[in-house]
Amino acid sequence: MEHDLSPEANELRDMVRTFLERKAPESAVRTTIEAGHGRDEDVWTQMAGQLGLQGLLVPEDLGGQGTTPVEMGVVLEEIGRALLPSPFVSSSVIAVSALIGADDTDASGDLLRGLADGSRIATVAFSSGLLGRDKESTVAASEPEGGWQLSGEVAAVLDAGAADTILVFAPTLEGTGLFAVEAAATERTPLTLLDLTRQASSVRLVDVPATRIGGEAGDVEARVLATAAAALCAESAGAAQRVLEMAVEHAKVREQFGKPIGAFQAVKHLCADIFTVAESATAVARHAARSLADQDATLGSVQLETSLAKAYVSEHGADAAEKNIQVHGGIGYTWEHPAHLYLRKLKSNELLFGDAVAHRAQMARVLGLKAPAAPHDVVDVRGENATV
Amino acid sequence: MEHDLSPEANELRDMVRTFLERKAPESAVRTTIEAGHGRDEDVWTQMAGQLGLQGLLVPEDLGGQGTTPVEMGVVLEEIGRALLPSPFVSSSVIAVSALIGADDTDASGDLLRGLADGSRIATVAFSSGLLGRDKESTVAASEPEGGWQLSGEVAAVLDAGAADTILVFAPTLEGTGLFAVEAAATERTPLTLLDLTRQASSVRLVDVPATRIGGEAGDVEARVLATAAAALCAESAGAAQRVLEMAVEHAKVREQFGKPIGAFQAVKHLCADIFTVAESATAVARHAARSLADQDATLGSVQLETSLAKAYVSEHGADAAEKNIQVHGGIGYTWEHPAHLYLRKLKSNELLFGDAVAHRAQMARVLGLKAPAAPHDVVDVRGENATV
Amino acid sequence: MNVTDELREFLDKHLPPFREVWGERPSYEGRLVWQGILQRGRWVAPQWSKENGGRGLDVVEALACSEVLADYQAPATAGIFGVANVGPTIAQWGTDEQKQSLIPILEGTELWCQGFSEPSTGSDLAGLRTRAVLDGDEFVINGQKIWTSDAHRAHQIQLLVRTDPEAPKHKGISALLVPLETPGIEIRPIQQINGDAEFCEVFFTDVRVPRSALLGPMNQGWMVTMTTLGHERSGVVTHASAVVREIESMVDSFSFAKAGHELSPHLQDELIERYVEGRVVGILGERSLESIKATGQPGSEQSIIKLEWSLFTQRLSSTRLALGGADAVIGADEQSNMSYLQARSATIAGGTTEVMKNILAQRVLGLPA
Amino acid sequence: MNVTDELREFLDKHLPPFREVWGERPSYEGRLVWQGILQRGRWVAPQWSKENGGRGLDVVEALACSEVLADYQAPATAGIFGVANVGPTIAQWGTDEQKQSLIPILEGTELWCQGFSEPSTGSDLAGLRTRAVLDGDEFVINGQKIWTSDAHRAHQIQLLVRTDPEAPKHKGISALLVPLETPGIEIRPIQQINGDAEFCEVFFTDVRVPRSALLGPMNQGWMVTMTTLGHERSGVVTHASAVVREIESMVDSFSFAKAGHELSPHLQDELIERYVEGRVVGILGERSLESIKATGQPGSEQSIIKLEWSLFTQRLSSTRLALGGADAVIGADEQSNMSYLQARSATIAGGTTEVMKNILAQRVLGLPA
């Protein structure tokens, strides 16, 4: 029972943990990684059918459970803990949030139903913010004869390979729009990720027909980016908790110089440091989820609180995994030991959707440390002024 | 015997250490601090008369010893180790280097003789670089009727209170000039320093008559700033070595939980960390001194190597003093224990003459990471482009 | 009326006239006066029971009151060790006679200090050597305490002494309540590295107190003390939210609107990194509060708040200096210098970082001693 | 002719044709071929005596030769453990028969590995359990080694075994030289976290070798081993200057002239901080060299070079990733990913940071064990 979670959220956590311990133990995770599938189809189906996890954020009238980012955060912690390879973050968190944010049920209702029951998979191609550099997307939208078309390249789209639908944030002549395209109509080239439990592709679009969802979507994209950052924080928090358990277990049983290594102060302090990171990451990830769940929060406030979490987790998360390897010594440096899988996850999550420096810069803007942007900057919804 | 020093330098070090242990033990240092004099007159006289330290860098034909910055570095290490309060750095290192750099014996010969035998004390007011911010000096030179005059304010001049002569780097209509003024002709307001063994004043000049020494002095000032940074590195290295001894002594004798605290791994590691800083600081400080002693080195190369030392010492030096207090626990937090005197010295030296960030930025320029300055920047010898 | 509204009304009425006399940053004497005023409304320790001078509030209400006081930037009370530590212990363990001190503690007319640390103990608190020997109906105390906060101002001391030298070290300790004017006590302030004297050494030479000075059972002083330290628990939550206010106000002072310029990229990043750390301490405090609300006890996050706070405080003090630049160490910013020096004690006083990490690893993570 | 000029001449002549066949980054096989070519000029270990296949150079000359090889970016030799560790030990302790291996070691026709670590030992090297029992004129070896670099490629292993289980742990160990094709030896490569397999487990089941396999005196294997490790000393100096070359070339690749743009202030500062750390390692190496020149022994700075190098390597690998940004972890920069993963071993292999700090505190600073 964790007292910063509701009884229901505690129950959900126990249920998901039991499910994943049974269905996605380390051996199964390794099988999925080696097969290169990105997910175990049976687990995915059961997550949707038995537990309804893919529909957590989808409103009840569209077949989902209509719960909040707080409950979703608990599930993401467990997914991070189990290192479950799946397009869950892309489809059930990021894509669903984009569609809900765009608030256009006419255009997106069917897709949301499909995402909720796990029968469809979607992902989001951002105009910027995943990689945090210039020109990560060159996609632009045009409307030649009544129908929208997208052309350009996106350097990286998470789970594009598994997706049926790619949602694309792209500039139009008037602001940013959100568009849905059939993934099969795009050219997807798989990338090799440091995190072996995640997949991504670069995506090229040439005059791909697109359905527009909702209106001006600059703020929607900013909020979805905040959601994505918070989701990675929750994943990382769960991973860090497992890393802590691993380090402590090892320190208790491994003997050196005639006693358990956990009796040595240096090992105690390494474990205490990992504990500090795991506890703090969990606390800030849940804090970020609460801020996303707050209906009254402004975009600026959501950005501040989620960036707070991402700045902390990006600055310290990988440290927990690195110290865990240090506690393990040589054995932690082997392929067979899971320590590196967690290191890869935590290091990768550190850099995706903005590193600590980028999120601190965003916080500085929201906190007013920066000179206010000139009016013409605000109109340009892409790039770093978009989030002022 | 330290093998990165010549036998003569080793001898010099032993001699200075013996002298200071006898003449300037901690009790004497505290007396000088409390009296607010800035130096013990007897010690100062003996340093010059018996040991000739003030004249180390002064050429032999001007009454000095004509040795190099390497030997001076050894003396500075000992002064830092003993925390000797005195205007030695200002007068015998910085002012002497400025005069030698300006290469105008006609104008400065008598002064150099006086500095060498300790009968006179000089200091340098920089146009920038001591505090590392805009407008630390507003002094400008003019030549109304044949004679030079200086007017303006300098936020801080080390040892201005003790000085007979203040050497001032100031802009003229054509580049930077070096000028000598009588200290008594200026308005000096003492400052309260974190480092209790150092003194400084703000200095105001109103149409003060000045003697110009040498010609265009932009590069001279840059080289003297490098010399000053290296001098503080040597002081800090000596202080860090003493801090190490203190920590190790305490760890050996202080008992807790029934054994010397040095038997605990955490304390061992603190001491090992302090050792690392003390050894590295000593190595880089001597490296910087060798680069200053190299007649063939370009200004850029001298800046790179001295900034290397200052960046290291500024980044890590105070850490040694902080960890020493941690090793000592409560007793290290008392006024009577010398630990805080070293903390003050090391922290103060961290920030004076450029902090780590400033020196890394200077290195980035020298190493070509920055875009080359536009031609008009180079002409402006003040401010950050002066050192390109 | 809601209790916090009542407190706001009280402060609206009493704070302005107090400030007119004592200013924004009152001296110790001013803080004593303020404590007296505050207690007239029973606001010094509203979580204490009504008969002891409090209002019987629960921990959440009490913390809400702390927040209100912080919002108003009300002066700190003066007799903090009596209110935060000694009082709650007396309330739990004291005799009726000893409980007579509780009201004066709140009113600030009886100031207390705590004599725990000794020169030879340091991190090993239970290794204390100050002895008390029963001679008829009197304890005779000999020994020395050190790092005793506020001893030079206090009237009474809560003292840990060894009463059974044969017993294992945690088991032969008793707690005594001793008036500091008792003959044989000598108090010497210790000057700290920043020049202040907040701590003292206290020497005991054949100091005689009646048997009734014993607090709690004989030879159970360790347990009695741990109770006292336990009372600091919800204090950590208050502390964590004070950290948040501190860092928020510091960041605010560097906002473009107030400062009129942007910080260098490096300093901005460093300042926001401190902001993140400070806020994390606050969020851990909130998490702790949820545990306290639900169970009356903080959760395991409690053990890292002090650790993280102490490191944060030290880093913040360095950041303050970095923001001031060389000017800071050369006289322009004495406040930053003082806070840098003061911050050294954060990782020492009340348990060194090293010892706290050991304790955390052993008690929370279950690693072997 | 100056020895380094002679080496340059040799390289000018032999390196270009080698590169034509094997390219800039030769495979292991290519490195073996290169080692053979290099040894034709006696350049593999010029500090070895002439009769053992070297040139009898002193440490300063030998280091100058290393610098020349580094300048030319000559390929690494293949049989590094034989050349750097086993060979010098055999030269000091070996029988005439054992010394027959020295020339083949330099030529690369006899590759060696070292069997020190065991699953149960880790940092406690002397706690090894692999046993060798004399049975007539043969040792019978049973046990397991782990983290044996290059065992899957080597012909021979220098093995530490326990020959006197009753003696104190450092005193019952002997060193044996064992051909890896001896029956009863099984070698299993260990896959590392970056997917490579550089280390092996080696299992010994009733492995029989003649008494003549003993290197140095019986039960003195610990001392014999420490000699071996001692031979890595001047290697640290070479290593330190390699660190300098690495960081200098990295900084150079980000120069405005080459990269065509400036780094962000934050990344620039981070990169230069790495530059400072790398150069400091180099300067410590130079200082160490002065001691070696003067006394044949490195000074106390020696003990921190490996510590500082290992932390530097890890920080640099993180900086590489930071410079690549999210692109780096998403496929664009596999090299940075590999170096980040590889760098994890820097604070573990060859003595963990924690153990090395203990040793430093005890041996150099004289703190109690």
Side-chain angles (χ1 to χ4, degrees):
Chain A
M1 184 75 180
E2 303 200 20
H3 303 290
D4 56 346
L5 296 175
S6 66
E8 296 72 27
N10 269 289
E11 244 173 66
L12 178 63
R13 190 192 59 162
D14 294 346
M15 188 177 74
V16 175
R17 183 172 299 183
T18 307
F19 174 82
L20 291 175
E21 280 172 359
R22 195 139 23 90
K23 302 289 182 176
E26 189 193 328
S27 57
V29 168
R30 285 185 182 263
T31 304
T32 307
I33 290 173
E34 280 153 28
H37 293 327
R39 73 181 184 280
D40 178 321
E41 196 60 52
D42 289 347
V43 174
W44 181 256
T45 309
Q46 290 169 30
M47 279 169 69
Q50 292 175 18
L51 306 182
L53 301 185
Q54 283 90 327
L56 275 184
L57 294 178
V58 177
E60 291 179 80
D61 58 358
L62 293 171
Q65 308 214 30
T67 56
T68 80
V70 173
E71 285 74 30
M72 179 52 98
V74 168
V75 173
L76 289 165
E77 285 179 32
E78 294 307 313
I79 283 177
R81 176 191 174 80
L83 291 179
L84 180 75
S86 85
F88 189 82
V89 170
S90 299
S91 187
S92 315
V93 182
I94 299 178
V96 166
S97 299
L99 293 173
I100 292 174
D103 196 19
D104 182 357
T105 312
D106 289 348
S108 65
D110 286 348
L111 179 53
L112 276 168
R113 280 181 213 279
L115 299 183
D117 67 18
S119 63
R120 299 201 63 172
I121 291 172
T123 186
V124 171
F126 290 97
S127 71
S128 68
L130 169 64
L131 302 182
R133 63 164 163 88
D134 285 351
K135 301 203 183 137
E136 56 181 273
S137 170
T138 62
V139 174
S142 58
E143 204 177 3
E145 324 192 337
W148 287 96
Q149 285 189 353
L150 301 184
S151 290
E153 293 194 49
V154 194
V157 180
L158 298 183
D159 296 306
D164 307 300
T165 303
I166 302 179
L167 302 171
V168 184
F169 284 105
T172 68
L173 289 177
E174 292 172 343
T176 294
L178 175 63
F179 300 89
V181 303
E182 286 302 308
T186 70
E187 206 176 288
R188 294 167 286 177
T189 310
L191 302 166
T192 308
L193 275 66
L194 177 63
D195 180 356
L196 301 173
T197 67
R198 211 186 274 302
Q199 297 197 326
S201 305
S202 64
V203 175
R204 190 154 165 265
L205 302 93
V206 182
D207 298 335
V208 175
T211 308
R212 180 149 189 184
I213 300 172
E216 159 59 36
D219 280 3
V220 176
E221 182 172 20
R223 195 178 275 266
V224 175
L225 282 168
T227 302
L232 294 202
C233 290
E235 257 200 8
S236 289
Q241 292 286 0
R242 180 68 198 113
V243 155
L244 170 68
E245 290 172 14
M246 235 187 268
V248 170
E249 283 160 22
H250 185 76
K252 283 178 184 168
V253 301
R254 168 73 169 168
E255 297 203 352
Q256 295 261 280
F257 303 99
K259 50 183 175 176
I261 60 170
F264 291 98
Q265 228 176 7
V267 175
K268 281 195 172 79
H269 290 192
L270 285 170
C271 290
D273 292 344
I274 298 172
F275 176 74
T276 300
V277 171
E279 283 294 294
S280 303
T282 303
V284 294
R286 292 177 186 174
H287 173 82
R290 286 193 295 273
S291 114
L292 283 165
D294 178 0
Q295 304 282 347
D296 300 329
T298 61
L299 175 57
S301 149
V302 167
Q303 287 182 315
L304 182 66
E305 304 305 322
T306 52
S307 282
L308 174 70
K310 188 64 164 67
Y312 180 85
V313 172
S314 286
E315 187 71 36
H316 301 285
D319 198 41
E322 293 175 358
K323 284 185 168 150
N324 180 42
I325 291 180
Q326 190 68 20
V327 169
H328 277 79
I331 192 75
Y333 189 64
T334 61
W335 183 268
E336 296 99 88
H337 197 279
H340 74 102
L341 299 175
Y342 286 91
L343 177 69
R344 289 164 180 272
K345 164 72 70 188
L346 283 158
K347 190 70 190 178
S348 178
N349 281 5
E350 168 185 328
L351 294 165
L352 295 177
F353 290 112
D355 64 9
V357 173
H359 281 280
R360 290 196 291 260
Q362 168 146 291
M363 294 171 77
R365 282 194 297 273
V366 177
L367 289 166
L369 294 190
K370 295 293 209 182
H376 69 273
D377 288 335
V378 177
V379 176
D380 174 11
V381 293
R382 296 184 58 200
E384 79 162 15
N385 290 309
T387 50
V388 171
Chain B
M1 183 74 178
E2 303 200 21
H3 302 290
D4 57 345
L5 297 176
S6 66
E8 296 73 26
N10 269 289
E11 244 174 67
L12 177 63
R13 190 193 58 162
D14 294 346
M15 188 177 73
V16 176
R17 182 172 301 184
T18 307
F19 174 82
L20 291 175
E21 278 172 359
R22 196 138 22 91
K23 302 291 182 173
E26 188 193 329
S27 57
V29 169
R30 286 184 182 264
T31 304
T32 307
I33 291 172
E34 278 152 28
H37 293 326
R39 72 179 185 282
D40 178 321
E41 196 60 52
D42 289 347
V43 174
W44 182 256
T45 309
Q46 291 169 28
M47 278 169 69
Q50 291 176 19
L51 307 182
L53 300 185
Q54 284 90 327
L56 275 184
L57 294 178
V58 176
E60 289 180 83
D61 58 359
L62 293 171
Q65 308 213 32
T67 55
T68 79
V70 173
E71 286 73 29
M72 180 52 98
V74 168
V75 174
L76 290 165
E77 285 179 33
E78 294 307 313
I79 283 177
R81 177 189 173 82
L83 292 179
L84 179 76
S86 84
F88 188 82
V89 169
S90 300
S91 187
S92 315
V93 181
I94 298 177
V96 166
S97 299
L99 294 173
I100 292 174
D103 194 20
D104 181 359
T105 313
D106 289 349
S108 65
D110 286 349
L111 179 52
L112 274 169
R113 278 180 213 281
L115 298 183
D117 68 17
S119 63
R120 299 204 62 173
I121 291 173
T123 187
V124 171
F126 291 96
S127 70
S128 69
L130 170 64
L131 302 182
R133 65 163 162 89
D134 285 350
K135 301 202 184 139
E136 56 181 274
S137 170
T138 62
V139 174
S142 58
E143 203 177 4
E145 319 190 345
W148 287 96
Q149 285 189 353
L150 301 184
S151 288
E153 293 194 48
V154 194
V157 180
L158 298 183
D159 296 304
D164 308 299
T165 303
I166 301 180
L167 302 170
V168 185
F169 285 104
T172 68
L173 289 178
E174 293 173 341
T176 296
L178 176 64
F179 301 89
V181 303
E182 285 303 308
T186 69
E187 206 176 288
R188 294 167 287 176
T189 311
L191 302 166
T192 309
L193 275 65
L194 176 63
D195 180 356
L196 301 173
T197 67
R198 211 187 275 301
Q199 296 197 327
S201 305
S202 64
V203 176
R204 189 153 164 266
L205 301 94
V206 183
D207 298 337
V208 176
T211 310
R212 179 150 188 181
I213 301 173
E216 159 58 36
D219 280 3
V220 176
E221 182 172 21
R223 195 177 274 266
V224 176
L225 282 168
T227 303
L232 294 202
C233 290
E235 257 198 10
S236 288
Q241 292 286 0
R242 180 70 197 112
V243 155
L244 170 68
E245 290 171 15
M246 235 187 267
V248 170
E249 283 160 22
H250 185 75
K252 282 179 184 168
V253 301
R254 169 71 169 168
E255 298 204 353
Q256 294 262 281
F257 302 101
K259 51 183 175 176
I261 60 170
F264 291 98
Q265 226 178 7
V267 175
K268 282 196 172 82
H269 289 193
L270 285 170
C271 290
D273 292 345
I274 298 172
F275 176 75
T276 299
V277 171
E279 282 294 294
S280 303
T282 303
V284 293
R286 291 178 186 173
H287 173 82
R290 285 192 295 272
S291 112
L292 283 165
D294 177 1
Q295 304 283 348
D296 301 328
T298 62
L299 175 57
S301 149
V302 167
Q303 288 181 315
L304 182 66
E305 303 306 323
T306 52
S307 282
L308 173 70
K310 188 65 163 68
Y312 179 86
V313 172
S314 286
E315 187 71 36
H316 301 284
D319 198 43
E322 292 175 0
K323 285 187 167 150
N324 180 43
I325 291 180
Q326 191 67 19
V327 169
H328 277 78
I331 191 75
Y333 188 65
T334 61
W335 183 268
E336 296 100 88
H337 196 279
H340 74 102
L341 299 174
Y342 286 92
L343 177 70
R344 290 164 179 272
K345 165 71 71 188
L346 282 158
K347 190 70 188 177
S348 177
N349 281 4
E350 169 186 327
L351 293 166
L352 294 178
F353 289 113
D355 63 10
V357 174
H359 282 281
R360 290 196 291 260
Q362 168 147 289
M363 294 170 78
R365 282 194 297 274
V366 178
L367 288 167
L369 295 190
K370 294 292 208 184
H376 71 272
D377 287 336
V378 177
V379 177
D380 175 10
V381 293
R382 295 184 59 200
E384 78 162 14
N385 291 309
T387 51
V388 171
Chain C
M1 184 163 60
N2 182 314
V3 68
T4 52
D5 289 344
E6 198 183 328
L7 174 55
R8 283 176 196 282
E9 196 176 68
F10 181 90
L11 293 171
D12 286 335
K13 182 167 165 203
H14 295 284
L15 202 46
F18 171 82
R19 286 209 165 113
E20 248 169 63
V21 181
W22 294 95
E24 291 291 323
R25 296 186 144 216
S27 63
Y28 189 81
E29 287 64 36
R31 285 164 50 199
L32 263 181
V33 171
W34 172 247
Q35 182 172 338
I37 295 169
L38 204 59
Q39 184 53 21
R40 274 185 246 148
R42 294 173 163 257
W43 292 116
V44 171
Q47 71 278 20
W48 287 21
S49 69
K50 289 185 184 167
E51 79 253 37
N52 288 342
R55 291 168 160 260
L57 300 190
D58 67 27
V59 62
V60 179
E61 291 170 317
L63 284 167
C65 290
S66 305
E67 293 288 325
V68 170
L69 287 163
D71 268 0
Y72 275 75
Q73 296 182 25
T77 54
I80 43 175
F81 297 96
V83 174
N85 301 335
V86 183
T89 317
I90 292 178
Q92 183 170 348
W93 296 98
T95 60
D96 286 347
E97 188 196 339
Q98 288 168 338
K99 286 184 184 165
Q100 300 296 318
S101 285
L102 293 173
I103 303 275
I105 281 175
L106 293 183
E107 289 170 341
T109 52
E110 198 173 293
L111 298 171
W112 283 76
C113 60
Q114 297 182 288
F116 292 173
S117 291
E118 299 187 5
S120 63
T121 60
S123 294
D124 182 17
L125 202 60
L128 62 89
R129 296 182 190 171
T130 295
R131 289 186 55 174
V133 179
L134 263 181
D135 176 23
D137 252 9
E138 288 185 330
F139 286 104
V140 184
I141 308 166
N142 278 286
Q144 182 193 349
K145 295 291 174 181
I146 194 169
W147 314 121
T148 309
S149 303
D150 269 7
H152 54 315
R153 294 161 170 155
H155 307 103
Q156 306 256 10
I157 185 167
Q158 179 198 356
L159 195 63
L160 282 185
V161 291
R162 187 159 302 284
T163 38
D164 182 356
E166 309 302 320
K169 67 181 180 180
H170 291 81
K171 306 217 162 148
I173 295 171
S174 298
L176 301 179
L177 302 178
V178 179
L180 283 167
E181 61 191 6
T182 314
I185 297 179
E186 188 195 348
I187 296 168
R188 290 188 207 150
I190 301 172
Q191 198 179 6
Q192 295 154 225
I193 63 179
N194 60 358
D196 288 352
E198 194 187 298
F199 304 116
C200 299
E201 292 178 288
V202 188
F203 299 85
F204 298 84
T205 313
D206 293 333
V207 174
R208 302 183 84 90
V209 292
R211 193 180 194 125
S212 63
L214 183 68
L215 178 65
M218 184 80 170
N219 292 328
Q220 301 285 313
W222 187 252
M223 185 183 58
V224 171
T225 313
M226 289 304 111
T227 325
T228 314
L229 294 177
H231 280 286
E232 291 174 20
R233 278 179 183 162
S234 69
V236 170
V237 179
T238 315
H239 204 56
S241 78
V243 163
V244 173
R245 271 190 304 277
E246 181 185 9
I247 188 66
E248 283 183 340
S249 108
M250 184 162 164
V251 168
D252 187 52
S253 73
F254 284 100
S255 69
F256 186 82
K258 291 207 175 151
H261 62 85
E262 293 187 1
L263 293 170
S264 75
H266 193 91
L267 286 173
Q268 175 194 292
D269 189 65
E270 184 172 336
L271 176 60
I272 299 291
E273 196 170 350
R274 293 298 90 75
Y275 175 85
V276 170
E277 294 163 357
R279 289 286 315 277
V280 169
V281 169
I283 290 166
L284 289 168
E286 287 167 20
R287 198 174 180 208
S288 194
L289 180 58
E290 295 301 324
S291 278
I292 293 171
K293 276 192 214 171
T295 69
Q297 292 290 326
S300 53
E301 71 291 326
Q302 175 78 5
S303 55
I304 56 173
I305 294 178
K306 199 257 172 178
L307 265 179
E308 289 296 275
W309 164 79
S310 61
L311 297 170
F312 163 75
T313 294
Q314 294 190 338
R315 290 194 210 104
L316 181 64
S317 79
S318 292
T319 296
R320 268 187 214 282
L321 278 183
L323 286 161
D327 280 294
V329 298
I330 208 146
D333 189 0
E334 208 171 337
Q335 189 54 40
S336 295
N337 289 345
M338 285 299 111
S339 92
Y340 174 69
L341 294 169
Q342 260 161 13
R344 291 315 107 207
S345 71
T347 51
I348 297 171
T352 66
T353 298
E354 289 73 24
V355 167
M356 294 193 73
K357 283 189 180 179
N358 289 348
I359 292 174
L360 187 155
Q362 289 164 206
R363 300 217 188 127
V364 179
L365 304 180
L367 292 180
Chain D
M1 184 163 60
N2 182 313
V3 68
T4 50
D5 289 344
E6 197 184 331
L7 174 55
R8 282 176 197 281
E9 196 176 70
F10 181 89
L11 294 172
D12 286 335
K13 182 168 165 203
H14 294 284
L15 201 46
F18 172 82
R19 285 209 167 113
E20 249 169 63
V21 181
W22 295 94
E24 290 293 321
R25 295 186 145 218
S27 61
Y28 189 81
E29 287 65 35
R31 284 164 53 199
L32 263 181
V33 170
W34 173 246
Q35 183 171 338
I37 294 168
L38 204 58
Q39 184 53 22
R40 274 184 248 148
R42 295 174 161 256
W43 293 116
V44 171
Q47 70 279 17
W48 287 21
S49 69
K50 289 186 185 166
E51 79 253 35
N52 288 342
R55 290 166 160 261
L57 301 189
D58 68 25
V59 62
V60 179
E61 291 170 315
L63 285 167
C65 289
S66 306
E67 293 287 326
V68 170
L69 287 164
D71 268 0
Y72 275 74
Q73 296 180 27
T77 53
I80 43 177
F81 297 96
V83 174
N85 302 336
V86 183
T89 318
I90 291 178
Q92 183 171 347
W93 296 100
T95 59
D96 286 345
E97 189 196 338
Q98 288 168 338
K99 286 183 184 165
Q100 299 297 319
S101 286
L102 293 174
I103 304 276
I105 281 175
L106 293 184
E107 290 170 341
T109 51
E110 198 172 292
L111 298 172
W112 283 75
C113 60
Q114 296 184 287
F116 292 172
S117 292
E118 298 187 6
S120 62
T121 58
S123 294
D124 182 15
L125 203 60
L128 62 91
R129 296 181 190 170
T130 294
R131 288 185 56 175
V133 180
L134 261 182
D135 178 21
D137 251 9
E138 288 185 328
F139 286 104
V140 183
I141 309 166
N142 278 287
Q144 183 192 349
K145 295 292 174 180
I146 195 169
W147 312 122
T148 309
S149 303
D150 270 4
H152 55 314
R153 292 162 172 158
H155 306 105
Q156 306 256 8
I157 186 167
Q158 180 198 356
L159 197 61
L160 283 184
V161 291
R162 186 160 304 283
T163 37
D164 182 355
E166 309 301 319
K169 66 181 180 178
H170 290 81
K171 306 220 162 144
I173 293 170
S174 298
L176 301 179
L177 303 178
V178 180
L180 282 168
E181 61 191 8
T182 313
I185 298 179
E186 189 195 347
I187 297 168
R188 289 188 209 151
I190 301 170
Q191 200 179 7
Q192 295 156 224
I193 63 179
N194 60 358
D196 288 352
E198 195 187 298
F199 304 117
C200 299
E201 293 178 287
V202 188
F203 298 86
F204 298 84
T205 313
D206 293 333
V207 174
R208 303 184 83 91
V209 292
R211 194 181 191 123
S212 62
L214 183 68
L215 178 66
M218 185 78 169
N219 292 328
Q220 300 284 313
W222 187 253
M223 184 183 60
V224 171
T225 313
M226 290 303 111
T227 325
T228 314
L229 294 178
H231 279 285
E232 290 174 22
R233 279 178 180 162
S234 69
V236 170
V237 179
T238 314
H239 203 56
S241 77
V243 163
V244 173
R245 270 192 305 277
E246 180 185 9
I247 188 67
E248 283 183 339
S249 106
M250 183 161 165
V251 168
D252 187 52
S253 72
F254 284 100
S255 68
F256 186 82
K258 291 208 175 149
H261 61 87
E262 293 187 1
L263 292 170
S264 75
H266 193 91
L267 286 173
Q268 176 195 292
D269 189 64
E270 185 173 335
L271 176 61
I272 299 292
E273 196 170 350
R274 294 298 90 75
Y275 176 85
V276 170
E277 294 164 356
R279 289 286 315 276
V280 169
V281 169
I283 291 166
L284 289 168
E286 288 167 19
R287 197 172 179 210
S288 193
L289 181 58
E290 295 301 322
S291 278
I292 293 173
K293 275 192 217 172
T295 68
Q297 293 289 327
S300 53
E301 70 291 325
Q302 175 78 8
S303 55
I304 56 174
I305 293 178
K306 198 255 172 179
L307 265 179
E308 289 295 275
W309 164 79
S310 61
L311 297 170
F312 162 75
T313 294
Q314 294 190 338
R315 290 192 210 105
L316 181 64
S317 79
S318 293
T319 297
R320 269 187 214 282
L321 277 183
L323 286 161
D327 281 295
V329 297
I330 209 147
D333 190 0
E334 208 173 336
Q335 189 55 39
S336 295
N337 289 346
M338 286 299 111
S339 92
Y340 174 69
L341 294 169
Q342 260 162 12
R344 292 314 108 208
S345 72
T347 51
I348 297 171
T352 66
T353 299
E354 290 73 23
V355 168
M356 294 193 73
K357 283 189 179 178
N358 289 349
I359 291 174
L360 188 155
Q362 289 165 207
R363 299 216 188 128
V364 179
L365 303 179
L367 293 180

